[in-house]
Amino acid sequence: MISVQKLVKRYGRGGSGGGGELAVDELSFEVARGEVVGFLGPNGAGKSTTLRILAGFLGMTRGSVTVAGHDIRDASFEARQRIGYMPEAVPLYPEMRVVEYLSFRAELKRVARARRAAYVDDAMAKVNVTDVANVVIGHLSKGYKQRVGLADALVARPPLLILDEPTAGLDPNQIREVREVIRGLGKEHTVLLSTHILSEVEASCGRVLVIAKGKLVADGTMEELARKRRSSGANLVVRGDLEMARSALQALDGVASVTSTTTGESHDLRLLWARAIDDSARLRATEQAVSAVVRAGCLVREVRPERSSLEQVFAELTLGGEHAREDDVESSEAANEGS
Ligand code: ATP
């Protein structure tokens, strides 16, 4: 449904020759019909810029983008007809009533007069704003306004919805309502939505594209992203001679530090690996730690791995944190290409 190849956007006077700010840097991805894809990245990553280019609101510096097979430069009208776009700040007319506004927007989007009322009713029903159809938009809460923006995006029944930060600025209840609406829309539309909130993607999307500084740094399902979680250490609860256990652990390869607390006859030993490790390395390191403690004459009561959170994975991918390693990103991309 969407194909983006080596997309580059440079703002400012630099043009294609360089010099302006590079907001999107050789970005390539595909979205298939029926997918609900989250476009995730920190502020300034280039999400809005990419979505505005896809929606035909902003020119690109270089690259190619097609929507349902139509090139957005050569066949801009055909591409745009297939897209319902909801910008970050929805430009609603505050003095109009909801139903009037949506009819006006349907007319602009060339919905035939005979079909307009049915299309507007249908869009209002899908986003649950039928009860405020005759309310002046300026009097609505932010959550309702956001849903009117969604109704606007889908009023001409486009197969593809592009939503830029659809829950930005909403309270938790409104966020839940909008997420539910988006999940429902995913049954009939292909959806690409941007967000800088990880839980947003978990709640609404089957797949996530993570971008940072205009580049794609991960592409896969939430489970695939979760698999990037790495182990930073382990907790062993043991009984026996604390010093023997501690020095046995400290002597192991790959152990950076060992700290302990004692409760009754149990010693809680906290190990930190010298570097974050993946699941299979974690299992081997844990086996070695347990046998070292046993060889030191102690009994093991409990073993708990410590793993980084999904938030840490996101931070590592997008900020290039000290544990982030290029080879991880490359191997995940290679895996995705192979799938
Ligand atoms: P946010 O979540 O804050 O909206 P984003 O991921 O959508 O961030 P963009 O708004 O696409 O990021 O911005 C990407 C980069 O391009 C940023 O460095 C931003 O400062 C710059 N930028 C965005 N719009 C313009 C513009 N009109 N002129 C010049 N630079 C811009």
Side-chain angles (χ1 to χ4, degrees):
M1 178 56 95
I2 304 175
S3 173
V4 174
Q5 300 301 327
K6 293 188 182 288
L7 179 66
V8 174
K9 175 65 188 179
R10 197 179 275 284
Y11 282 109
R13 296 197 295 153
S16 56
E21 177 162 3
L22 191 59
V24 179
D25 187 4
E26 300 268 332
L27 186 64
S28 302
F29 64 87
E30 312 258 336
V31 176
R33 189 177 295 274
E35 279 193 296
V36 179
V37 176
F39 205 38
L40 182 68
N43 289 330
K47 304 181 296 293
S48 297
T49 301
T50 306
L51 298 189
R52 291 179 68 209
I53 292 172
L54 290 184
F57 279 84
L58 183 68
M60 64 180 90
T61 304
R62 240 186 4 255
S64 99
V65 175
T66 60
V67 173
H70 301 283
D71 187 290
I72 57 159
R73 276 184 301 199
D74 302 342
S76 158
F77 179 73
E78 287 79 1
R80 278 159 68 159
Q81 261 199 326
R82 285 160 179 82
I83 298 170
Y85 170 56
M86 179 174 158
E88 206 169 353
V90 185
L92 301 169
Y93 291 90
E95 70 284 1
M96 288 179 105
R97 293 175 198 284
V98 171
V99 65
E100 284 166 3
Y101 170 75
L102 291 173
S103 307
F104 163 66
R105 294 290 297 161
E107 188 181 344
L108 283 185
K109 294 177 190 202
R110 305 190 187 191
V111 175
R113 183 189 292 269
R115 297 205 196 110
R116 231 172 270 156
Y119 275 39
V120 168
D121 283 350
D122 189 42
M124 289 195 299
K126 281 192 174 134
V127 304
N128 304 325
V129 295
T130 309
D131 55 331
V132 295
N134 289 306
V135 176
V136 172
I137 289 174
H139 294 167
L140 294 176
S141 70
K142 188 142 199 316
Y144 265 107
K145 282 187 187 141
Q146 206 77 345
R147 282 190 268 153
V148 173
L150 272 176
D152 177 346
L154 58 93
V155 73
R157 301 190 180 173
L160 171 63
L161 296 177
I162 294 183
L163 314 175
D164 197 354
E165 305 249 1
T167 61
L170 301 184
D171 71 32
N173 287 333
Q174 294 167 336
I175 287 175
R176 214 180 41 245
E177 284 165 16
V178 169
R179 280 179 184 169
E180 269 166 32
V181 168
I182 291 170
R183 265 201 299 273
L185 296 177
K187 293 182 189 133
E188 283 179 35
H189 302 261
T190 305
V191 182
L192 177 61
L193 68 89
S194 79
T195 176
H196 57 272
I197 308 164
L198 191 60
S199 58
E200 184 103 343
V201 179
E202 273 183 298
S204 319
C205 306
R207 179 175 149 222
V208 57
L209 301 167
V210 185
I211 68 163
K213 299 190 185 112
K215 284 181 183 296
L216 192 68
V217 294
D219 174 357
T221 62
M222 284 310 287
E223 291 76 45
E224 281 163 344
L225 195 64
R227 262 186 247 133
K228 284 174 171 288
R229 289 191 296 182
R230 281 177 286 153
S231 168
S232 53
N235 271 72
L236 265 66
V237 181
V238 306
R239 185 158 68 87
D241 187 319
L242 172 63
E243 282 318 310
M244 292 285 280
R246 206 215 292 257
S247 47
L249 290 172
Q250 260 158 356
L252 287 176
D253 238 15
V255 172
S257 68
V258 183
T259 50
S260 67
T261 50
T262 297
T263 316
E265 57 177 9
S266 291
H267 308 298
D268 193 336
L269 294 151
R270 180 156 187 266
L271 278 92
L272 273 184
W273 311 129
R275 51 192 285 276
I277 53 179
D278 65 17
D279 272 356
S280 58
R282 171 180 65 80
L283 292 176
R284 280 195 305 278
T286 309
E287 282 167 7
Q288 282 166 6
V290 170
S291 63
V293 169
V294 172
R295 275 199 311 274
C298 296
L299 295 168
V300 178
R301 296 188 147 181
E302 219 177 308
V303 184
R304 292 190 304 271
E306 271 184 17
R307 307 181 82 203
S308 52
S309 66
L310 261 183
E311 277 76 14
Q312 280 168 295
V313 174
F314 176 51
E316 285 174 9
L317 284 170
T318 56
L319 301 176
E322 59 178 8
H323 295 306
R325 297 190 349 246
E326 282 296 315
D327 55 352
D328 280 358
V329 172
E330 280 166 14
S331 63
S332 82
E333 281 170 359
N336 286 326
E337 274 166 25
S339 65

